[in-house]
Amino acid sequence: QTGYITIDSGYKNTGATKSAITFLDGEEGILRYRGYPIEQLAEQSSFLEVAYLLIYGTLPTQAELDEFSNQITKHTLVHEDVRKIFDGFPSAAHPMAILSSLICALTAFYPESVSPDLSKENIDLNVIRLMAKLPTIAAWTYKNNMGHPLNYPRNDLDYAANFLYMMFSFPTEKYEINPVVVRAINKLLILHADHEQNCSTSTVRLVGSANASLYGSVSAGINALWGPLHGGANQEVVEMLEAIQRDGGDTSKFIAKAKDKNDPFRLMGFGHRVYKNFDPRAKIIKKAADEVLTALGISDPLLKIAQELEQAALTDPYFVERKLYPNVDFYSGIIYKAIGIPTEMFTVMFALGRLPGWIAQWKEMRENKEPIGRPRQVYTGELDRDYTPIEQR
Ligand code: SDX
């Protein structure tokens, strides 16, 4: 009976919840975290400060930020038995597979993480542990991929510097932290920190609505983010730009492919379910790409190809009619590449940034005691029929 059920596949016109965390205006291209414009936070804040803002709802005082940051620093080490699980992965394993597995595995090491206790102390402990250990595990996935020795975190470094140290240092030589790169990492993580009810955040909320653990819910969110239509797009964009470069740099050929309904190829990094105008994050990242490459003295031909592709698409009726603009994933890979982060790690960087958003949304859903998510359907299968013994089939 479908009298009372309306199907809205992809939830294009369905509001799943009420939330006070992030505001998007798709027509105007506006993004605000707890009311603060993304443009101001990207330029003036730090990732941990934005994480605190998203999770606790206010900009922290210096004392609150110091306590949050010090607590995270104290929990960056990962249980040695997690390393044993880690050592079982083949070096060619995709980092997102390792990340989602190990984040879920943390529930086996920390009973507080699966406790129904929603006291501030227990929630804060789970938040701190997850914020602290994800970067360590993320850096390990890179070292595993490269066949390099894993690095332990250093408590004398701040969040972004520590992540870079764990990613790129070797026991055999001194590692210099580049402030330009630290600033770029902070800005990129801020820009990815939350985005209201996107696919991976909706996944975290749905899994969490069953009173599942924060770690298990985030592990599910990591898998949703890995999808090439979602966070996985940042890896696809650079691979697309490299394919255009190998093909001689003719962007018009790829624009034609993207418009051809018989060709599954899409212009990765373009289009958005909500933004029908420029993704404000893409504007900031595009400017940052120029700044970072100039500061590092790098000229990447992919940046020029990306700019040409953007210009071509923004004037082509197919894209204009459908209001397809560059999204957050279109330029981010250019910066990751300039920093030395390989394409397989791009979506891990997205997950690192999105973690506080997932945490804030899971926490809000639980604090609001939202019911378990259980949508209905319109049944289109066989009607009532009798079982037939196998010899009669
Ligand atoms: C992220 O939701 C979020 O907030 C996500 C995110 C976040 O911060 O969490 O912003 C992060 O996931 C950004 C999006 C990254 N994905 C990509 O860049 C992959 C390429 N883009 C698309 O596949 C697509 O645009 C989506 C998935 C982003 C949005 O898909 P929708 O809203 O379901 O739109 P659609 O697929 O129905 O497209 C509408 C029309 C279609 O053409 P018609 O059937 O009307 O003729 O636009 C076309 C599509 O074929 N189209 C594209 C296109 N994107 C849409 N055609 C060519 N290239 C594209 N990139």
Side-chain angles (χ1 to χ4, degrees):
Q1 172 201 343
T2 59
Y4 60 100
I5 293 175
T6 50
I7 299 293
D8 179 20
S9 63
Y11 309 123
K12 295 191 174 187
N13 300 294
T14 293
T17 188
K18 289 179 185 166
S19 176
I21 300 169
T22 292
F23 172 75
L24 296 191
D25 179 324
E27 295 305 322
E28 298 302 317
I30 293 172
L31 168 58
R32 298 188 195 118
Y33 295 160
R34 299 283 189 182
Y36 296 97
I38 191 65
E39 293 79 7
Q40 294 180 26
L41 293 172
E43 288 310 319
Q44 302 172 54
S45 188
S46 69
F47 177 57
L48 281 195
E49 183 175 76
V50 166
Y52 186 99
L53 170 66
L54 287 168
I55 296 168
Y56 296 106
T58 56
L59 283 173
T61 60
Q62 188 61 57
E64 286 166 336
L65 182 58
D66 292 348
E67 173 62 8
F68 187 59
S69 176
N70 295 339
Q71 281 299 317
I72 287 173
T73 299
K74 266 170 40 187
H75 285 81
T76 48
L77 268 182
V78 177
H79 195 293
E80 281 299 298
D81 286 350
V82 175
R83 281 189 67 148
K84 288 180 192 143
I85 306 170
F86 186 82
D87 292 340
F89 284 98
S91 57
H94 193 290
M96 288 294 274
I98 300 176
L99 200 64
S100 65
S101 310
L102 291 192
I103 292 306
C104 194
L106 291 181
T107 53
F109 291 83
Y110 301 110
E112 303 85 354
S113 71
V114 287
S115 147
D117 170 8
L118 284 182
S119 65
K120 179 168 172 30
E121 294 68 32
N122 197 52
I123 292 279
D124 286 353
L125 179 55
N126 289 331
V127 167
I128 292 295
R129 276 192 175 129
L130 198 49
M131 284 297 296
K133 297 180 194 307
L134 192 71
T136 306
I137 293 173
W140 281 3
T141 63
Y142 170 67
K143 287 303 199 187
N144 181 61
N145 208 270
M146 303 297 283
H148 297 164
L150 306 185
N151 285 316
Y152 281 99
R154 271 181 42 188
N155 288 0
D156 60 319
L157 296 174
D158 71 19
Y159 184 92
N162 198 8
F163 175 68
L164 290 167
Y165 166 77
M166 291 189 286
M167 279 282 286
F168 298 120
S169 74
F170 288 92
T172 46
E173 55 201 45
K174 193 168 166 8
Y175 177 70
E176 289 295 322
I177 306 277
N178 182 330
V180 169
V181 176
V182 170
R183 186 69 216 124
I185 289 281
N186 267 291
K187 187 175 282 189
L188 283 165
L189 294 179
I190 289 169
L191 290 167
H192 286 83
D194 193 52
H195 214 237
E196 60 135 273
Q197 305 311 312
N198 60 85
C199 178
S200 56
T201 299
S202 299
T203 303
V204 169
R205 286 183 86 118
L206 186 61
V207 172
S209 72
N211 284 5
S213 70
L214 172 62
Y215 299 178
S217 306
V218 165
S219 174
I222 291 170
N223 281 294
L225 187 73
W226 190 6
L229 292 183
H230 190 10
N234 59 14
Q235 176 174 349
E236 302 273 334
V237 167
V238 168
E239 288 168 359
M240 171 184 74
L241 295 173
E242 286 169 343
I244 295 173
Q245 184 185 36
R246 278 196 305 275
D247 186 75
D250 174 11
T251 53
S252 56
K253 192 170 160 186
F254 286 79
I255 294 273
K257 275 172 66 69
K259 291 159 59 175
D260 178 356
K261 288 302 171 198
N262 300 319
D263 188 331
F265 173 79
R266 285 197 157 190
L267 210 52
M268 301 313 275
F270 258 78
H272 198 277
R273 173 63 59 75
V274 177
Y275 290 124
K276 298 309 171 193
N277 195 323
F278 239 94
D279 181 334
R281 301 166 297 176
K283 277 186 190 167
I284 297 168
I285 295 178
K286 179 180 176 181
K287 182 167 163 284
D290 267 331
E291 290 161 0
V292 171
L293 268 65
T294 306
L296 297 178
I298 295 172
S299 70
D300 182 348
L302 297 188
L303 179 57
K304 189 169 165 302
I305 294 175
Q307 289 162 338
E308 279 174 22
L309 206 53
E310 176 191 345
Q311 278 320 309
L314 292 181
T315 51
D316 184 298
Y318 172 94
F319 292 87
V320 174
E321 278 157 24
R322 292 168 177 81
K323 299 186 176 178
L324 303 176
Y325 292 88
N327 59 47
V328 66
D329 292 316
F330 191 63
Y331 284 106
S332 54
I334 301 281
I335 301 179
Y336 291 142
K337 202 165 157 278
I339 291 173
I341 294 172
T343 47
E344 305 76 45
M345 284 292 291
F346 287 6
T347 313
V348 169
M349 295 307 293
F350 196 142
L352 213 52
R354 186 51 52 90
L355 180 62
W358 286 332
I359 291 172
Q361 299 268 354
W362 182 93
K363 188 165 170 282
E364 181 182 67
M365 177 270 304
R366 294 299 298 276
E367 284 166 354
N368 292 349
K369 296 185 174 38
E370 294 191 23
I372 185 169
R374 200 272 182 227
R376 293 304 309 276
Q377 62 170 24
V378 169
Y379 178 68
T380 59
E382 294 289 341
L383 296 177
D384 195 3
R385 55 182 174 166
D386 294 326
Y387 179 82
T388 46
I390 194 159
E391 55 277 3
Q392 293 174 22
R393 291 175 207 159

